[in-house]
């Protein structure tokens, strides 16, 4: 009788393992069956040629081989309101079956927190896949501008380009204006940093904030080599090694409350190139997309292509993204309210 019980226990354990393995295999097969022969849309919240577009298309070229069934990933630029349009579409209108993913501005995660009336989505419910890298955001002016340093910003009025409420250029320009006293005026409505940079070259605006160091280095290396621009400051938790003399946003004040406010925005720099899927997609497809994104970040061909284009890769996992978003939403309410007020004109 004792021997029979042991056999039953052993059989039960073995059967459980076998059933679990079968379940995993069936799940993988189900994901593969869904994606095989399919097209996955990758929404890019900015115009062609900008930094988000470059990162989105780079990921699209390599990620499909790691999704079971190897679907074709097709990038689609969905511009508007500093990528809020793409985020809102992903959240509310995109199919909830894993056939649509998106990349949009790093400040999208904080937009519902700071602009609840303008953002019809909940960033904590998006299925974050990860971020390609963290980033340093810069404020810069064209070489001929009278503003060449941060001290000039506090004394001389100029015009800065923006994209729309919640977009990086608008957020940082308004924060520096309303919290730190920058004398600039914001002209908004451009479809991406690439468009603002062209406007800056044409003399329509003096400069912009929120442009990434990696974008500047990869898309406008001649500006750096020929010293065509003035880099005013850098928004990040750590100073970019190549910019040792450019002040950090955290260096601009010793006021505790102002530091808390600016840190709310600097935390988003840690998820500078975010990718997400809609809420409510099947759990097995969510897991497959996250795994595919993480494998892409280690792919030698992906890394080689990124290196050739001077694009930084310092990935943040989906789990770390979820934790960072939760941390942002734990910011004290009074600080959030003052930061939200500082984002208005």
């Amino acid at each position: 009788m004792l021997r029979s019980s042991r056999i039953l226990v052993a059989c039960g354990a073995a059967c459980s393992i076998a059933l679990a393995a079968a379940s995993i295999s069936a799940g993988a097969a189900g994901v593969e069956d869904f994606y095989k022969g399919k097209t996955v849309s990758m929404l890019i919240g900015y115009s062609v040629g900008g930094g988000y577009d470059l990162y989105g298309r780079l990921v699209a070229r390599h990620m499909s081989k790691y999704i079971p069934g190897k679907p074709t990933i097709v990038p689609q630029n969905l511009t508007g309101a500093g990528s809020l349009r793409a985020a809102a579409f992903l959240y509310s209108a995109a199919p909830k079956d894993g056939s649509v993913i998106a990349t949009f501005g790093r400040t999208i995660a904080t937009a519902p927190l700071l602009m609840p009336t303008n953002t019809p989505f909940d960033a904590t419910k998006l299925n974050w896949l990860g971020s390609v890298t963290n980033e340093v955001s810069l404020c810069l002016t064209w070489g001929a501008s009278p503003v060449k340093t941060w001290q000039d910003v506090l004394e001389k009025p100029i015009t800065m380009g923006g994209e729309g409420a919640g977009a990086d250029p608008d957020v940082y320009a308004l924060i520096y204006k309303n919290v730190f006293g920058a004398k600039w005026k914001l002209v908004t409505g451009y479809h991406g940093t690439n468009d603002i940079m062209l406007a800056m070259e044409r003399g329509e605006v003096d400069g912009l904030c929120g442009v990434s160091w990696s974008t500047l280095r990869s898309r406008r290396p001649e500006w750096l080599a020929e010293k065509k621009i003035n880099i005013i400051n850098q928004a990040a938790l750590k100073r970019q090694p190549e910019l040792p003399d450019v002040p950090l946003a955290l260096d601009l004040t010793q006021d505790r409350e102002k530091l808390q406010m600016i840190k709310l925005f600097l935390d988003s720099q840690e998820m500078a190139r975010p990718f997400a899927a809609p809420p409510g997609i099947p759990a097995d497809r969510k897991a497959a997309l996250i795994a595919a994104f993480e494998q892409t970040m280690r792919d030698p061909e992906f890394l080689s292509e990124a290196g050739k284009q001077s694009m930084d890769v310092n990935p943040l996992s989906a789990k770390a993204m979820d934790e960072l978003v939760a941390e942002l939403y734990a910011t004290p309410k009074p600080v959030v309210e003052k930061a939200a007020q500082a984002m208005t004109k």
Side-chain angles (χ1 to χ4, degrees):
M1 185 70 174
L2 181 59
R3 183 172 178 273
S4 298
S5 297
R6 287 174 178 170
I7 291 172
L8 286 173
V9 169
C11 181
C15 289
S16 295
I17 293 170
L19 286 171
S23 176
I24 293 170
S25 177
V31 172
E32 183 174 356
D33 288 343
F34 173 77
Y35 281 114
K36 191 171 183 179
K38 286 260 196 337
T39 295
V40 171
S41 297
M42 178 183 285
L43 305 179
I44 300 173
Y46 290 95
S47 57
V48 174
Y52 287 98
D53 182 65
L54 289 176
Y55 273 96
R57 291 175 184 274
L58 176 64
V59 171
R61 284 194 292 274
H62 295 276
M63 184 172 164
S64 62
K65 59 191 170 187
Y66 295 110
I67 301 175
K70 296 180 173 59
T72 301
I73 299 180
V74 179
Q76 298 177 4
N77 295 83
L78 183 62
T79 64
S83 80
L84 277 173
R85 184 183 174 207
F89 180 88
L90 182 76
Y91 188 87
S92 302
K96 305 298 189 290
D97 59 1
S99 64
V100 179
I101 58 178
T103 182
F104 31 66
R106 72 205 65 175
T107 54
I108 289 299
T110 56
L113 184 66
L114 296 165
M115 302 184 301
T117 59
N118 296 333
T119 49
F121 58 88
D122 184 344
T124 65
K125 292 182 180 178
L126 285 169
N127 284 305
W128 298 100
L129 306 182
S131 174
V132 178
T133 190
N134 54 7
E135 190 57 276
V136 172
S137 273
L138 308 172
C139 282
L140 53 89
T141 61
W142 194 241
S145 170
V147 169
K148 303 181 186 302
T149 67
W150 176 253
Q151 189 58 41
D152 291 337
V153 168
L154 303 177
E155 299 171 355
K156 302 173 183 178
I158 57 171
T159 301
M160 303 294 276
E163 300 166 3
D168 295 3
D170 300 69
V171 167
Y172 283 107
L174 291 171
I175 286 293
Y176 291 130
K177 175 185 176 183
N178 296 326
V179 177
F180 297 99
K183 298 296 183 184
W184 50 48
K185 174 185 176 182
L186 179 65
V187 176
T188 194
Y190 292 96
H191 289 296
T193 54
N194 195 52
D195 300 88
I196 304 174
M197 285 194 255
L198 292 172
M200 190 170 63
E201 284 187 289
R202 293 193 296 261
E204 294 176 13
V205 296
D206 290 282
L208 77 156
C209 288
V211 61
S212 297
W213 168 246
S214 63
T215 297
L216 188 62
R217 195 177 59 174
S218 61
R219 299 299 292 169
R220 297 290 191 277
E222 72 282 3
W223 285 8
L224 297 169
E226 299 170 20
K227 298 183 179 179
K228 289 187 174 183
I229 55 172
N230 310 300
I231 302 178
I232 306 300
N233 65 13
Q234 50 184 318
L237 296 177
K238 295 180 181 178
R239 193 183 301 273
Q240 184 67 31
E242 294 95 329
L243 303 172
D245 299 321
V246 178
L248 279 171
L250 292 173
D251 296 335
L252 303 179
T253 182
Q254 297 298 316
D255 184 279
R256 183 173 177 273
E257 188 172 73
K258 288 182 179 179
L259 288 172
Q260 282 183 307
M261 291 167 63
I262 193 66
K263 193 174 184 300
L264 183 63
F265 300 98
L266 296 183
D267 278 348
S268 66
Q269 296 296 127
E270 295 301 299
M271 48 175 159
R273 305 295 180 180
F275 287 75
I281 67 172
D284 56 350
R285 295 174 200 169
K286 172 186 173 180
L289 290 172
I290 290 173
F293 184 86
E294 291 180 350
Q295 287 176 287
T296 303
M297 296 301 101
R298 300 189 296 270
D299 180 86
E301 293 179 356
F302 169 83
L303 293 170
S304 175
E305 187 175 351
K308 289 175 183 176
Q309 297 186 59
S310 299
M311 298 168 69
D312 294 332
V313 177
N314 186 22
L316 194 69
S317 70
K319 182 175 182 293
M321 287 278 290
D322 288 336
E323 291 172 351
L324 188 52
V325 171
E327 179 184 325
L328 286 168
Y329 280 74
T331 303
K333 188 175 179 180
V335 174
V336 172
E337 289 175 347
K338 289 188 177 181
Q341 290 174 4
M343 288 172 56
T344 65
K345 291 186 179 182

